[in-house]
Amino acid sequence: MSQPLDVAVQLAKRWLYRSWQFFAAVGFGGKASRADLSEARRVLGPSLFYIFAALPAPYQRHGISVYKKVLAGGGTDVRLLQAALLHDSGKSDPESGRQVTLGHRVAVVLLETAPLGRLLLVRLSNGSEVPCGFRGRLLYPFYLSRHHPGLGAQRARQHGASPEVVRLIAEHQAHRSDDEALRRLQAADSRS
C-alpha cells in the first residue's frame, strides 16, 4: 500500500473504533451481566470487588471486556486478571462522584491529535485536583483522565491488592516491551 493509503486506513480504523466506544459509552452497551459481575466478584474477592462495583457501568463493561481478552489471549495469572478488571478504576472518583465523562473523553481524544493539544491537556489536568466548584466540575475529569493509572493503583493498594496488581494498574499506559504481563494487559486494553 502507498503511504497516504496506509494513513487513511489507519484513520478509518481508529474512527470506527472510537465510534464503537462512543455508542457503548452513551449506553448502547448496557450494564454488565449478572454472570460477568459474578465472575468479577470471584476473581477480585470482596475488597477489590468493592472498587469495581463503585465504577460507572461503562467502566465496568470496559474492565470486563479487557479481562475477557486477557483470558482469550492465554492470561491466567489472577493478578493480571485483577489488573485487567481494575486498570481504569482511577477514571472515577467515588468520593466526589466525579468521573471522566463522555464529553471529557471526546475532548481528550481530539486534543491528543491536535498539534498543541497535548500541551493543553497537560495544562487542563495540572492544578485541577479539587473536585468541587465550577473549576472542579469542568477540569477535575481531565485530572482523573491523565492521572488515572496512579489513582487506580493507589485505590487498589488501599483495598489490599497485591504489589503486582498495583504495579500493573500503575504502569498500564507505560511504554515498556520487556514485561509479558504488562504487554498482555495493554494488548487487551487496546482492543477493548
Side-chain angles (χ1 to χ4, degrees), residues 36-104:
D36 286 339
L37 291 174
S38 178
E39 178 74 3
R41 182 187 307 271
R42 183 188 66 74
V43 170
L44 293 170
S47 186
L48 293 178
F49 184 74
Y50 177 82
I51 298 169
F52 187 81
L55 292 173
Y59 291 116
Q60 287 182 352
R61 285 193 315 269
H62 175 66
I64 289 168
S65 175
V66 172
Y67 164 81
K68 288 179 177 181
K69 284 181 174 56
V70 167
L71 275 176
T76 57
D77 186 313
V78 71
R79 298 166 303 176
L80 173 59
L81 298 173
Q82 289 175 340
L85 288 164
L86 297 176
H87 73 283
D88 276 350
S89 60
K91 288 186 176 181
S92 173
D93 178 2
E95 292 178 20
S96 68
R98 302 265 186 258
Q99 63 179 305
V100 180
T101 66
L102 179 59
H104 287 94

Side-chain angles (χ1 to χ4, degrees), residues 164-184:
E164 178 68 0
V165 171
V166 171
R167 182 189 70 79
L168 287 168
I169 293 170
E171 296 180 6
H172 80 270
Q173 290 194 323
H175 299 287
R176 291 180 45 198
S177 62
D178 61 335
D179 186 319
E180 180 64 28
L182 191 57
R183 274 199 315 269
R184 284 180 188 262

Side-chain angles (χ1 to χ4, degrees), residues 13-44:
K13 285 181 180 178
R14 187 161 175 85
W15 182 84
L16 286 171
Y17 170 70
R18 292 298 183 185
S19 297
W20 173 83
Q21 278 188 317
F22 173 82
F23 288 112
V26 295
F28 294 124
K31 292 183 178 181
S33 72
R34 284 187 186 181
D36 286 339
L37 291 174
S38 178
E39 178 74 3
R41 182 187 307 271
R42 183 188 66 74
V43 170
L44 293 170

